[in-house]
Amino acid sequence: MPTAGEVVREACHVIWTEGQVDRVPEFYSEDFQADYPMTDWGSGVPGVATLAARVRQDLPGYAEHIEELIEAGEEVVVRLTITGTDPRTGTAVSFRDVTMLTVRDGKICRQRGLTDYLSLYRQLGIVQMPGDRAT
């Protein structure tokens, strides 16, 4: 059986970067639960599949690049960079995410984390900070 870190690494690649949404049940358990502020994962495998399809639609070219992965038994912490393209302008965007996952019996059963939406929203022109140049 693969280690928890191997399961997470492969899920990031297959589901989130390649967009093989039909393979979600290979990596996520039926009773999967997520805890992310501002992101609705729905519930179970159908929720993951819906979100995976939606992010690829909302941010074409969506990909996750693992910068650091720390594994401790069934617990995994991943620091990653997410990239994609603003569908309105075609401009590349990049932002960070930190994710903590629990893997049991070879499947991800729990995932929680924080996404740097402020960086994403600044790049998309949704939010401006003092000192940002008007475009």
Side-chain angles (χ1 to χ4, degrees):
M1 181 175 290
T3 68
E6 290 168 341
V7 170
V8 168
R9 193 176 295 279
E10 189 69 7
C12 282
H13 179 72
V14 171
I15 304 302
W16 300 101
T17 297
E18 290 186 349
Q20 296 183 42
V21 176
D22 59 318
R23 294 185 60 191
V24 166
E26 293 177 37
F27 298 96
Y28 290 85
S29 68
E30 286 296 325
D31 61 346
F32 172 80
Q33 294 181 358
D35 178 12
Y36 274 79
M38 298 176 50
T39 302
D40 180 10
W41 282 71
S43 60
V45 169
V48 176
T50 298
L51 180 62
R54 191 173 74 224
V55 297
R56 300 191 70 72
Q57 194 172 43
D58 293 347
L59 202 61
Y62 182 97
E64 295 184 348
H65 311 277
I66 295 174
E67 306 295 338
E68 185 175 7
L69 186 146
I70 301 167
E71 182 178 357
E74 63 184 22
E75 301 296 326
V76 179
V77 177
V78 180
R79 181 177 58 84
L80 46 90
T81 300
I82 297 171
T83 58
T85 304
D86 178 348
R88 298 166 301 140
T89 66
T91 303
V93 296
S94 175
F95 56 102
R96 292 182 179 176
D97 184 272
V98 175
T99 302
M100 299 167 287
L101 306 99
T102 303
V103 178
R104 286 197 190 109
D105 300 322
K107 293 192 178 190
I108 300 165
C109 62
R110 184 171 179 226
Q111 185 165 336
R112 58 250 182 247
L114 295 171
T115 303
D116 181 9
Y117 286 116
L118 179 59
S119 292
L120 173 62
Y121 294 163
R122 285 178 74 187
Q123 292 172 65
L124 294 174
I126 296 169
V127 172
Q128 287 195 344
M129 300 293 290
D132 284 351
R133 292 184 186 181
T135 56

